[in-house]
Amino acid sequence: MNNRGPVCQLYTGTQWHFLDPRPDEVRFDDLIGLARIARYLGATIEPYTVAEHCVRGALALMAQGHDRHTCLAFLLHDPEHIPPGDLPGPMVRYLEQEERRRRELDPSYTDPTLHIRRIGERAVWTAFDVLDVFEGDSAHYVWGMDKLMLATERRDLMAPSAVDWGPLPNPLPERIIPWGPAVAWREFCRTFDALGGVREPNSVREPNRLAAVVGRWPGDESDEQIAAALRDQ
């Protein structure tokens, strides 16, 4: 710990000061963590990553005719490679409800976990120049697609259950067959670049090394296939 508080080490070795995050300390290559983090606390029938969720939603927004900047914002809407990580939606809603209740007694109260999440998101979104989307009118397109992805993921990836997920839109017509982490990271990089995302100058431009260390789940391509696909980018 130093005078900026405790730190976490990220993929690149970056020290992430989660009580004092700064946009100039955000590294694109640390986003590889999104290809290793499972959605829904790993409760899907097949492994499914946050990175794949982000890519599929960004491409669906593009197919609907939205501008590249809004699509890029969706790609980056879940920076869960930094603390506090991927919080389940019901937990977030509970913390928000408790925060509102406590603010009735103390208007200055902020839930510590939500605070860490909010300032971390703001740092990442500022670093990649999409903060304006989340603070503007286009934010409802991002969160609307997030709900559409939720409905699609529930249909395709979750076991039948009586759990109430609340009102959801009709899912997307295309069914999800999970890619696995290596492919998810490759597609995340490709989509980021295609949408005009800007990496910092020292970002790794040859993702073969990054893809190779992600690890594979059943159904992923072999290392040779991944390397060949990356060489063809």
Side-chain angles (χ1 to χ4, degrees):
M1 183 183 294
N2 57 29
N3 58 3
R4 293 175 59 194
V7 300
C8 289
Q9 180 175 327
L10 303 183
Y11 171 78
T12 61
T14 297
Q15 294 186 64
W16 185 253
H17 300 262
F18 56 85
L19 297 180
D20 182 25
R22 298 177 183 176
D24 63 357
E25 294 173 347
V26 172
R27 301 289 178 265
F28 175 81
D29 294 335
D30 286 326
L31 293 172
I32 194 173
L34 300 180
R36 297 173 169 180
I37 298 171
R39 289 271 286 168
Y40 307 107
L41 301 179
T44 52
I45 294 172
E46 296 183 49
Y48 180 70
T49 67
V50 173
E52 181 169 355
H53 162 80
C54 293
V55 172
R56 287 184 179 274
L59 296 179
L61 274 177
M62 189 185 303
Q64 292 178 355
H66 292 282
D67 62 89
R68 291 197 305 170
H69 194 53
T70 301
C71 297
L72 181 63
F74 187 92
L75 187 72
L76 299 165
H77 79 285
D78 268 342
E80 291 162 349
H81 63 298
I82 55 175
D86 186 15
L87 299 177
M91 179 179 176
V92 173
R93 290 188 289 274
Y94 169 76
L95 294 177
E96 290 172 340
Q97 178 182 334
E98 285 298 297
E99 183 180 66
R100 288 191 294 270
R101 184 184 64 80
R102 294 189 62 171
R103 280 180 176 174
E104 293 176 0
L105 302 174
D106 177 6
S108 67
Y109 176 78
T110 297
D111 179 86
T113 301
L114 293 179
H115 175 68
I116 290 170
R117 186 185 199 219
R118 290 164 182 155
I119 62 177
E121 287 175 339
R122 187 176 184 87
V124 172
W125 295 341
T126 299
F128 293 114
D129 198 27
V130 293
L131 181 63
D132 61 308
V133 175
F134 296 98
E135 293 185 338
D137 295 337
S138 294
H140 75 276
Y141 295 124
V142 173
W143 303 126
M145 178 54 67
D146 202 31
K147 204 142 198 178
L148 187 55
M149 289 301 301
L150 192 71
T152 307
E153 290 160 358
R154 183 189 188 192
R155 179 195 66 193
D156 297 343
L157 302 171
M158 304 299 289
S161 172
V163 172
D164 181 10
W165 287 48
L168 292 174
N170 292 326
L172 293 166
E174 181 182 352
R175 290 196 169 266
I176 297 173
I177 301 175
W179 297 329
V183 178
W185 175 241
R186 183 191 71 197
E187 294 306 313
F188 189 96
C189 292
R190 287 177 168 176
T191 305
F192 181 87
D193 293 338
L195 293 175
V198 178
R199 311 187 193 194
E200 69 278 6
N202 61 343
S203 171
V204 174
R205 284 289 173 178
E206 299 76 28
N208 303 55
R209 179 179 66 85
L210 293 176
V213 299
V214 176
R216 295 195 306 280
W217 290 334
D220 276 4
E221 293 98 334
S222 68
D223 286 341
E224 293 76 18
Q225 288 172 309
I226 292 170
L230 291 167
R231 283 196 298 271
D232 292 340
Q233 290 190 113

